[in-house]
Amino acid sequence: MAARSASAKAASSATLAEALGARAARAVVQMTSGVDERAASEAVSASSDALVLLRLFERPEVIESLRASDPLAPARLRGVEARRKLIDLAGGLLSAEAAGDALGITRQAIEKRRRAGRLLSLSLGKRGYRYPTFQFVEGHTLPGLERVLDALRGRDPWTQVSFFVNRRSDLDGRSPVQLLQSIRRRPDRDVVDAVIEAAEADAEQGAA
């Protein structure tokens, strides 16, 4: 019975994947119908299939095509680009195994820290969780990380990443990551407190 159930689930997933692929392919054909030859050539020359799509989504004619079927499409694309930039500013993302290697602990220990809110993670669906690289410094976590994460508790992970990596006027034009990294060799509670105050100020503005 269990074997048949697993087989049926696999068949259902395969069918869903095929349906998704078919619809995605039709959407790409529709979007690219107005792309000129030069733009098409530039997109095709991209180093990966995913980058081909990203280059297409940068084209004004493709954005207008999307807007016709979904007025919110341009805003959705800006959101995708904003998240890509956040990942770049975060230094990329590490798997649980790679994060464990960075700290000299097991993948299971990393997952335990994630569940306890002691590490910042981003869910990638079936691919599991990934960990912004800035958290790992010379075999340790970023100084003050857990205290700052506690102050950010309740906010979604992308908002948390944005807080850490973006420069702030209330931190003398530096990002929280830059400020916390500056104390990795000499603990400085005042610096951590300043970052926590900035996090709490954001929370108050969000609640207002």
Side-chain angles (χ1 to χ4, degrees):
M1 177 69 74
R4 287 199 298 271
S5 177
S7 177
K9 184 176 181 179
S12 175
S13 296
T15 301
L16 182 60
E18 290 175 0
L20 176 62
R23 293 205 63 180
R26 287 199 299 272
V28 170
V29 170
Q30 293 170 2
M31 287 188 303
T32 57
S33 61
V35 175
D36 61 37
E37 186 174 339
R38 179 179 177 181
S41 177
E42 290 176 352
V44 169
S45 66
S47 58
S48 69
D49 293 340
L51 190 53
V52 170
L53 289 177
L54 288 176
R55 288 189 175 179
L56 285 174
F57 288 145
E58 293 173 349
R59 301 293 306 177
E61 60 269 37
V62 171
I63 294 175
E64 285 305 308
S65 175
L66 289 171
R67 190 199 299 272
S69 57
D70 180 4
L72 295 178
R76 298 183 199 279
L77 291 177
R78 288 194 295 272
V80 171
E81 177 62 10
R83 290 188 173 189
R84 184 194 66 78
K85 289 181 177 179
L86 284 178
I87 291 174
D88 287 344
L89 288 172
L93 303 176
L94 299 180
S95 66
E97 290 80 2
D101 289 343
L103 296 181
I105 60 179
T106 65
R107 178 184 65 79
Q108 290 78 8
I110 288 292
E111 295 289 354
K112 184 177 180 179
R113 290 194 185 193
R114 174 186 63 78
R115 291 191 295 270
R118 298 171 58 199
L119 282 175
L120 173 55
S121 64
L122 298 172
S123 175
L124 299 188
K126 289 185 177 180
R127 295 175 61 190
Y129 291 91
R130 294 295 184 270
Y131 300 82
T133 302
F134 69 76
Q135 300 174 101
F136 310 102
V137 182
E138 298 179 352
H140 302 279
T141 53
L142 186 71
L145 176 67
E146 293 184 18
R147 290 185 60 204
V148 178
L149 285 176
D150 189 59
L152 293 170
R153 193 180 299 275
R155 275 175 273 183
D156 72 86
W158 287 104
T159 300
Q160 293 180 17
V161 173
S162 179
F163 171 79
F164 274 105
V165 302
N166 283 306
R167 296 175 182 271
R168 300 177 58 91
S169 59
D170 55 357
L171 295 177
D172 297 326
R174 288 183 288 180
S175 71
V177 167
Q178 290 173 325
L179 207 57
L180 294 172
Q181 285 178 342
S182 72
I183 63 171
R184 63 181 181 273
R185 291 187 178 88
R186 186 177 63 185
D188 188 332
R189 182 175 293 273
D190 289 343
V191 169
V192 178
D193 287 344
V195 174
I196 290 174
E197 287 178 7
E200 291 173 344
D202 277 7
E204 291 176 1
Q205 291 177 0

